[in-house]
Amino acid sequence: MTEEKKPEERKPRKHATEAAGKIGPMVKAALAENLRAKEEGEPIAYSFIFSSYDEIIRAMDIMPAWTENYAGVCGAKRDAQRFLERAESENFSRSLCTYALCGLGFDSWREETGEMPPDAPWGGQARPTVMLGSGQIICDPRYKWYQAAQHYMPDVPVYVAGLPFPPYEDDYDYRDVQDYYVKYIVEELRGLVAFLERHTNRKMDWDRLSEVVDISDRTWNMISEAYDLRKAVPCPMGTGDAMNTMVPMTFMMGTQEAYDFFKDLYDELKRKIANKEGIIPDEKYRLLWGGGLPAWFALSDFNYFNSKGAVFPAEVTYRQVEPVYELDMPKVSDPLEHLAWRWVKYWAYRHDKARKRPGSNPDVERLIEYIEEYKIDGVVIHEAFSCRSWHPGLIWQLNQLKRVYRDIPSLILESDIVDISSYNEADTRARIDAFIDTLEAVKSKKG
Amino acid sequence: MQVDVSGRGLVTVEKYYQDYGSRARELKKQGRRIMGYLCAFTPVEIIAAAGFVPFRIKGDVNEPITKADTEMETIVCPLVRSCFDVALKGKYEFLDGIVIPHACDSISRTYDVWKYTLNLPYSHLINMPHSTGEPSLNFYKSILGTFRTSLGKFAGKEISDQSLNQAISLYNQNRAKVRELYELRKTAPPSISGAEVAKLLIAAVSIPVEEANQLIDSVIKEVKQRKAVPAAKPARIMVVGAQVDDVAFIDLIEDSGAWVVADDLCPGAREFFADVDVTADPIDGIAERYLRKIKCGRTFREKKGDYEDYLEERFGHIGRFIKDSKVDGVVLYIYKYCDPYGFDVPAMKSYIESVGAPVLYLEDEYSMSTIGRLRTRIQAFLELIGSK
């Protein structure tokens, strides 16, 4: 029986920064807070990260339950398989997003038995009051997952907020269309506020929303400034740690706690730089995590890279912020309109830059920018088999990078975000070893 | 010059199906411009109104995917990979451009891969929303306006309301003819096989709409004049899935002792049944059809009423087919890596069973080598139906 499977025992990953070390307890506390809220009858919203509605939920004092996060926790604790198998037994294909499968397996289990699955990681995930999807130009599970979850919780309403952003095209500029994108997003966010007021007995406090938006703007800036410090040689913080520090960025946006966390990280990185304290004592290769969600159950692979003298000063994944003051935003008084502009401008941030390089596009341009600014020697991507949101196009980006910029060593890792059965440690490490050999050969050639 | 297909409808269908793209190639040589597109969500009326021949890009289940993997991930829907592979191998060398709608991740997240790798003179992504409320509809009209302007620029002339209305009229005629064709499937035994219908509809999306209309008329006439009565088979099956642009799977069912008498597929009823309403601004009618009338897993419909009502709203059209076409069993034929349909399976299965039809859910990979392996499961399903 799948119900009887127990997670494997494993050691915690070694962090380079104190900040990353704080994350585990923070996630645990947030999940406990969810359970407390449920107990006390407070509204809980199943939510997706990067959906531009964090500030709305916070301002309305609704408790977000980040379902991707909970699936990631199950994956990191190597206790997702029983939920994946449960979803499969419900006729969901194992090729679908494993965050969603883990969540659906968990929900169907909890709904069937009326209680948390036994030994649920960190106490489990509480039944939601509402589920908030989003319709973007990425990630089908953002509108399908919660619709599918309604099959097990038919009384829980779902809202899907349309959050499109302009594609990068040759024959028109995003500025030609931005106004109608912003108008639509504002209407959708306004619809979300009305939906939440209808289903949660909470009222929007618009002044509070303005304050929360202001905090999140400042947090965007602080994250950008802190992460920019990683350009230092030796690098004080790597992608392994960034896969921890993504927690306050993605799950706590709009809170003072998130801002303070990144201010502390900024200060810590400054101190490390002043002391010339890198992730490892002898930094030989600087790598870019060029895309792909991580294998949450195998974050120790980053330590393995470190053991070979390689560090990751930058990553594309979970760096979904840019300095707000660089986004060319119009000044608007409506906080929803501000959120809409920030969303559109964030996605168009590198359109102008890409236009200057024939054959480039904003994704390729970002790789080039990081390679130059972070003094990168090689690019690593991870293809998670179950995710068609962030992974299709990565191979092409690597190829195009080499066609329009320059040849640079690259490595493609393959497994999944949650499904550990897709992962082979020996094979992964053999690939890393071979990649390190390539980096060394290139370095020796350059002299 | 239009080809006269009267009296040779089924023969012509076979030719266009077997040598897919042959008519577009001929037309290209005659100076026509051909616009490739993916998926039923591309508003072909706008392409036709701009003077292009809309050409549906299809894959090939018999062709192993060998070139696509160098640029496109293997985790992408196998149909999209096959389409890309075939295109990379030069089968659609006659295309002047490509239009890709924001249908699902596999299609829209690979837009740049298509755009830069094929390097065609024109490309456009139609950023269609997922929701169907008024703000989404208005946004989608703006998106269609941007596409209209962009394509008009490439065509060298603005796309007028008049040309749009003409295209809408032709496509509505096309859809009416397909609905008439489907009436021929309702008889017992059906007057036309599932494989014949599938081939006709696949051929129809590879040729100009005027020619498709003539072709469908010709096939309907031929079928009505048939002297030989089709063999009686014990089961009447409906197939539900995403894009099934090859008859191999339909053949497999019909070779196993059943007729495929209904479908919710593309090309198929999903794609062909809904008309564009005639509206003062033709974009209004087009937007309404593609966003609200086509029932596909990629479009999110808000729940109104209780959960049973919601299932009826999402899958009621399948229920109506089951009733009207006297369907004995439904096969859910879903591709691996298909998020819009994969997430729908438990709800869809539960709905179909609730209206009294048994369901066989099959996951496949768009390849002849895997389709063959499904034979035993289909046979077992047909036996189950037969024993009831």
Short mmCIF file of all heavy atoms in Angstrom, two decimals, chain B residues 163-201:
data_model
loop_
_atom_site.label_atom_id
_atom_site.label_comp_id
_atom_site.label_asym_id
_atom_site.label_seq_id
_atom_site.Cartn_x
_atom_site.Cartn_y
_atom_site.Cartn_z
N SER B 163 -13.76 41.76 -46.05
CA SER B 163 -13.06 40.49 -46.31
C SER B 163 -13.21 39.54 -45.10
O SER B 163 -13.32 38.33 -45.26
CB SER B 163 -11.59 40.71 -46.67
OG SER B 163 -10.94 41.40 -45.65
N LEU B 164 -13.26 40.12 -43.91
CA LEU B 164 -13.48 39.27 -42.72
C LEU B 164 -14.87 38.64 -42.77
O LEU B 164 -15.04 37.44 -42.50
CB LEU B 164 -13.36 40.10 -41.44
CG LEU B 164 -11.97 40.28 -40.85
CD1 LEU B 164 -12.02 41.22 -39.66
CD2 LEU B 164 -11.38 38.94 -40.41
N ASN B 165 -15.86 39.44 -43.14
CA ASN B 165 -17.23 38.91 -43.22
C ASN B 165 -17.34 37.81 -44.27
O ASN B 165 -18.05 36.82 -44.07
CB ASN B 165 -18.22 40.04 -43.50
CG ASN B 165 -18.48 40.88 -42.26
OD1 ASN B 165 -18.43 40.36 -41.14
ND2 ASN B 165 -18.70 42.17 -42.44
N GLN B 166 -16.63 38.00 -45.36
CA GLN B 166 -16.64 36.95 -46.41
C GLN B 166 -16.03 35.65 -45.87
O GLN B 166 -16.56 34.56 -46.08
CB GLN B 166 -15.85 37.41 -47.63
CG GLN B 166 -16.64 38.29 -48.56
CD GLN B 166 -15.75 38.95 -49.63
OE1 GLN B 166 -14.55 38.75 -49.65
NE2 GLN B 166 -16.39 39.72 -50.49
N ALA B 167 -14.92 35.80 -45.19
CA ALA B 167 -14.24 34.61 -44.64
C ALA B 167 -15.12 33.94 -43.59
O ALA B 167 -15.23 32.70 -43.55
CB ALA B 167 -12.89 35.01 -44.04
N ILE B 168 -15.77 34.74 -42.76
CA ILE B 168 -16.66 34.18 -41.74
C ILE B 168 -17.78 33.39 -42.40
O ILE B 168 -18.11 32.27 -41.99
CB ILE B 168 -17.24 35.32 -40.85
CG1 ILE B 168 -16.14 35.87 -39.94
CG2 ILE B 168 -18.42 34.83 -40.02
CD1 ILE B 168 -16.51 37.17 -39.23
N SER B 169 -18.32 33.96 -43.45
CA SER B 169 -19.41 33.28 -44.15
C SER B 169 -18.94 31.94 -44.72
O SER B 169 -19.62 30.91 -44.58
CB SER B 169 -19.92 34.21 -45.25
OG SER B 169 -20.78 33.52 -46.10
N LEU B 170 -17.77 31.95 -45.35
CA LEU B 170 -17.24 30.70 -45.92
C LEU B 170 -16.98 29.65 -44.84
O LEU B 170 -17.28 28.46 -45.01
CB LEU B 170 -15.94 30.98 -46.68
CG LEU B 170 -16.10 31.58 -48.07
CD1 LEU B 170 -14.76 32.09 -48.59
CD2 LEU B 170 -16.66 30.52 -49.03
N TYR B 171 -16.40 30.08 -43.73
CA TYR B 171 -16.11 29.12 -42.66
C TYR B 171 -17.40 28.64 -41.97
O TYR B 171 -17.48 27.48 -41.54
CB TYR B 171 -15.11 29.70 -41.66
CG TYR B 171 -13.69 29.49 -42.12
CD1 TYR B 171 -12.96 30.50 -42.74
CD2 TYR B 171 -13.07 28.23 -42.00
CE1 TYR B 171 -11.67 30.29 -43.20
CE2 TYR B 171 -11.78 28.02 -42.46
CZ TYR B 171 -11.08 29.04 -43.06
OH TYR B 171 -9.80 28.81 -43.53
N ASN B 172 -18.38 29.52 -41.88
CA ASN B 172 -19.65 29.05 -41.31
C ASN B 172 -20.32 28.02 -42.22
O ASN B 172 -20.91 27.05 -41.75
CB ASN B 172 -20.59 30.23 -41.03
CG ASN B 172 -20.25 30.94 -39.73
OD1 ASN B 172 -19.45 30.44 -38.93
ND2 ASN B 172 -20.83 32.11 -39.52
N GLN B 173 -20.19 28.24 -43.53
CA GLN B 173 -20.71 27.22 -44.48
C GLN B 173 -19.97 25.90 -44.26
O GLN B 173 -20.56 24.83 -44.25
CB GLN B 173 -20.48 27.67 -45.92
CG GLN B 173 -21.39 28.78 -46.40
CD GLN B 173 -20.92 29.33 -47.75
OE1 GLN B 173 -20.41 28.59 -48.59
NE2 GLN B 173 -21.09 30.62 -47.94
N ASN B 174 -18.67 26.02 -44.10
CA ASN B 174 -17.81 24.86 -43.87
C ASN B 174 -18.29 24.08 -42.64
O ASN B 174 -18.43 22.85 -42.66
CB ASN B 174 -16.38 25.38 -43.67
CG ASN B 174 -15.35 24.30 -43.49
OD1 ASN B 174 -14.92 24.06 -42.38
ND2 ASN B 174 -14.97 23.65 -44.57
N ARG B 175 -18.58 24.80 -41.59
CA ARG B 175 -19.00 24.15 -40.34
C ARG B 175 -20.39 23.54 -40.48
O ARG B 175 -20.65 22.46 -39.94
CB ARG B 175 -18.96 25.18 -39.19
CG ARG B 175 -17.52 25.55 -38.86
CD ARG B 175 -17.38 26.88 -38.17
NE ARG B 175 -15.96 27.24 -38.09
CZ ARG B 175 -15.49 28.48 -38.11
NH1 ARG B 175 -16.31 29.51 -38.21
NH2 ARG B 175 -14.20 28.71 -38.04
N ALA B 176 -21.25 24.20 -41.21
CA ALA B 176 -22.60 23.65 -41.43
C ALA B 176 -22.49 22.33 -42.21
O ALA B 176 -23.22 21.36 -41.93
CB ALA B 176 -23.45 24.65 -42.20
N LYS B 177 -21.58 22.30 -43.16
CA LYS B 177 -21.40 21.07 -43.95
C LYS B 177 -20.86 19.93 -43.08
O LYS B 177 -21.24 18.78 -43.24
CB LYS B 177 -20.45 21.34 -45.12
CG LYS B 177 -21.07 22.21 -46.21
CD LYS B 177 -20.04 22.56 -47.28
CE LYS B 177 -20.49 23.76 -48.12
NZ LYS B 177 -21.76 23.58 -48.81
N VAL B 178 -19.96 20.28 -42.16
CA VAL B 178 -19.43 19.24 -41.26
C VAL B 178 -20.54 18.72 -40.35
O VAL B 178 -20.65 17.51 -40.11
CB VAL B 178 -18.22 19.76 -40.44
CG1 VAL B 178 -17.79 18.73 -39.40
CG2 VAL B 178 -17.05 20.08 -41.36
N ARG B 179 -21.38 19.61 -39.89
CA ARG B 179 -22.50 19.15 -39.04
C ARG B 179 -23.41 18.22 -39.84
O ARG B 179 -23.89 17.21 -39.32
CB ARG B 179 -23.28 20.36 -38.48
CG ARG B 179 -22.49 21.18 -37.47
CD ARG B 179 -23.39 22.16 -36.70
NE ARG B 179 -23.96 23.18 -37.55
CZ ARG B 179 -23.41 24.38 -37.79
NH1 ARG B 179 -22.24 24.70 -37.22
NH2 ARG B 179 -24.00 25.26 -38.56
N GLU B 180 -23.60 18.56 -41.12
CA GLU B 180 -24.43 17.70 -42.00
C GLU B 180 -23.75 16.33 -42.16
O GLU B 180 -24.40 15.28 -42.11
CB GLU B 180 -24.59 18.38 -43.36
CG GLU B 180 -25.56 17.67 -44.28
CD GLU B 180 -25.59 18.30 -45.68
OE1 GLU B 180 -25.15 19.45 -45.86
OE2 GLU B 180 -26.03 17.58 -46.61
N LEU B 181 -22.44 16.37 -42.32
CA LEU B 181 -21.66 15.14 -42.45
C LEU B 181 -21.84 14.25 -41.22
O LEU B 181 -22.00 13.03 -41.32
CB LEU B 181 -20.17 15.51 -42.61
CG LEU B 181 -19.17 14.38 -42.75
CD1 LEU B 181 -19.19 13.84 -44.19
CD2 LEU B 181 -17.75 14.87 -42.42
N TYR B 182 -21.83 14.90 -40.04
CA TYR B 182 -21.95 14.13 -38.81
C TYR B 182 -23.33 13.48 -38.67
O TYR B 182 -23.48 12.48 -37.96
CB TYR B 182 -21.63 15.01 -37.58
CG TYR B 182 -20.16 15.03 -37.23
CD1 TYR B 182 -19.20 15.40 -38.16
CD2 TYR B 182 -19.70 14.65 -35.96
CE1 TYR B 182 -17.85 15.42 -37.86
CE2 TYR B 182 -18.35 14.68 -35.64
CZ TYR B 182 -17.42 15.06 -36.59
OH TYR B 182 -16.09 15.06 -36.29
N GLU B 183 -24.33 14.05 -39.35
CA GLU B 183 -25.66 13.42 -39.32
C GLU B 183 -25.59 12.01 -39.92
O GLU B 183 -26.32 11.11 -39.52
CB GLU B 183 -26.67 14.27 -40.10
CG GLU B 183 -27.07 15.56 -39.39
CD GLU B 183 -27.78 15.31 -38.07
OE1 GLU B 183 -28.70 14.46 -38.03
OE2 GLU B 183 -27.38 15.93 -37.06
N LEU B 184 -24.67 11.85 -40.88
CA LEU B 184 -24.54 10.54 -41.57
C LEU B 184 -23.96 9.47 -40.63
O LEU B 184 -24.01 8.29 -40.95
CB LEU B 184 -23.64 10.66 -42.80
CG LEU B 184 -24.08 11.66 -43.88
CD1 LEU B 184 -23.04 11.78 -44.98
CD2 LEU B 184 -25.42 11.22 -44.47
N ARG B 185 -23.41 9.92 -39.52
CA ARG B 185 -22.83 8.96 -38.57
C ARG B 185 -23.88 8.43 -37.58
O ARG B 185 -23.61 7.52 -36.82
CB ARG B 185 -21.70 9.62 -37.76
CG ARG B 185 -20.69 10.33 -38.61
CD ARG B 185 -19.65 11.06 -37.77
NE ARG B 185 -18.61 10.13 -37.30
CZ ARG B 185 -17.53 10.51 -36.63
NH1 ARG B 185 -17.34 11.77 -36.34
NH2 ARG B 185 -16.65 9.62 -36.24
N LYS B 186 -25.04 9.10 -37.60
CA LYS B 186 -26.03 8.75 -36.57
C LYS B 186 -26.83 7.49 -36.92
O LYS B 186 -27.45 6.89 -36.05
CB LYS B 186 -27.00 9.92 -36.37
CG LYS B 186 -26.37 11.10 -35.65
CD LYS B 186 -27.39 12.18 -35.40
CE LYS B 186 -26.78 13.33 -34.62
NZ LYS B 186 -27.69 14.47 -34.54
N THR B 187 -26.84 7.12 -38.21
CA THR B 187 -27.61 5.94 -38.60
C THR B 187 -26.97 4.67 -38.05
O THR B 187 -25.81 4.68 -37.64
CB THR B 187 -27.66 5.83 -40.14
OG1 THR B 187 -26.32 5.82 -40.63
CG2 THR B 187 -28.43 6.97 -40.76
N ALA B 188 -27.73 3.58 -38.05
CA ALA B 188 -27.18 2.29 -37.58
C ALA B 188 -27.27 1.26 -38.71
O ALA B 188 -28.37 0.92 -39.12
CB ALA B 188 -27.96 1.80 -36.37
N PRO B 189 -26.16 0.80 -39.23
CA PRO B 189 -24.80 1.27 -38.98
C PRO B 189 -24.59 2.67 -39.58
O PRO B 189 -25.37 3.08 -40.43
CB PRO B 189 -23.94 0.22 -39.70
CG PRO B 189 -24.80 -0.30 -40.79
CD PRO B 189 -26.20 -0.28 -40.26
N PRO B 190 -23.54 3.36 -39.17
CA PRO B 190 -23.31 4.70 -39.72
C PRO B 190 -23.05 4.64 -41.23
O PRO B 190 -22.45 3.68 -41.71
CB PRO B 190 -22.08 5.19 -38.96
CG PRO B 190 -21.41 3.96 -38.46
CD PRO B 190 -22.49 2.96 -38.22
N SER B 191 -23.50 5.66 -41.95
CA SER B 191 -23.30 5.66 -43.40
C SER B 191 -21.84 5.94 -43.76
O SER B 191 -21.42 5.69 -44.89
CB SER B 191 -24.18 6.73 -44.05
OG SER B 191 -25.50 6.58 -43.62
N ILE B 192 -21.11 6.53 -42.85
CA ILE B 192 -19.70 6.85 -43.12
C ILE B 192 -18.88 6.44 -41.91
O ILE B 192 -19.32 6.62 -40.76
CB ILE B 192 -19.55 8.36 -43.46
CG1 ILE B 192 -18.10 8.69 -43.84
CG2 ILE B 192 -20.03 9.27 -42.34
CD1 ILE B 192 -17.95 10.05 -44.53
N SER B 193 -17.72 5.89 -42.17
CA SER B 193 -16.91 5.39 -41.04
C SER B 193 -16.21 6.55 -40.32
O SER B 193 -16.04 7.64 -40.88
CB SER B 193 -15.87 4.40 -41.54
OG SER B 193 -14.84 5.09 -42.24
N GLY B 194 -15.76 6.26 -39.12
CA GLY B 194 -15.01 7.26 -38.36
C GLY B 194 -13.71 7.62 -39.06
O GLY B 194 -13.30 8.78 -39.06
N ALA B 195 -13.07 6.63 -39.67
CA ALA B 195 -11.80 6.88 -40.36
C ALA B 195 -12.02 7.78 -41.58
O ALA B 195 -11.21 8.68 -41.85
CB ALA B 195 -11.16 5.57 -40.77
N GLU B 196 -13.13 7.56 -42.29
CA GLU B 196 -13.40 8.41 -43.46
C GLU B 196 -13.65 9.86 -43.04
O GLU B 196 -13.17 10.79 -43.68
CB GLU B 196 -14.63 7.86 -44.22
CG GLU B 196 -14.33 6.60 -45.02
CD GLU B 196 -15.59 5.98 -45.63
OE1 GLU B 196 -16.65 5.99 -44.96
OE2 GLU B 196 -15.50 5.47 -46.75
N VAL B 197 -14.40 10.03 -41.97
CA VAL B 197 -14.67 11.39 -41.47
C VAL B 197 -13.35 12.05 -41.05
O VAL B 197 -13.07 13.20 -41.41
CB VAL B 197 -15.66 11.36 -40.28
CG1 VAL B 197 -15.74 12.74 -39.62
CG2 VAL B 197 -17.03 10.91 -40.74
N ALA B 198 -12.54 11.31 -40.30
CA ALA B 198 -11.28 11.89 -39.80
C ALA B 198 -10.39 12.30 -40.97
O ALA B 198 -9.83 13.41 -40.98
CB ALA B 198 -10.57 10.88 -38.91
N LYS B 199 -10.28 11.44 -41.97
CA LYS B 199 -9.43 11.78 -43.12
C LYS B 199 -9.95 13.03 -43.83
O LYS B 199 -9.18 13.90 -44.24
CB LYS B 199 -9.40 10.62 -44.12
CG LYS B 199 -8.45 9.50 -43.72
CD LYS B 199 -8.41 8.43 -44.78
CE LYS B 199 -7.52 7.28 -44.34
NZ LYS B 199 -7.56 6.16 -45.28
N LEU B 200 -11.25 13.11 -43.98
CA LEU B 200 -11.84 14.26 -44.67
C LEU B 200 -11.53 15.55 -43.90
O LEU B 200 -11.12 16.56 -44.49
CB LEU B 200 -13.36 14.07 -44.80
CG LEU B 200 -14.16 15.28 -45.28
CD1 LEU B 200 -13.66 15.80 -46.62
CD2 LEU B 200 -15.65 14.92 -45.40
N LEU B 201 -11.72 15.51 -42.59
CA LEU B 201 -11.51 16.74 -41.82
C LEU B 201 -10.04 17.13 -41.77
O LEU B 201 -9.71 18.32 -41.76
CB LEU B 201 -12.09 16.58 -40.41
CG LEU B 201 -13.60 16.31 -40.34
CD1 LEU B 201 -14.09 16.35 -38.91
CD2 LEU B 201 -14.38 17.31 -41.19
#
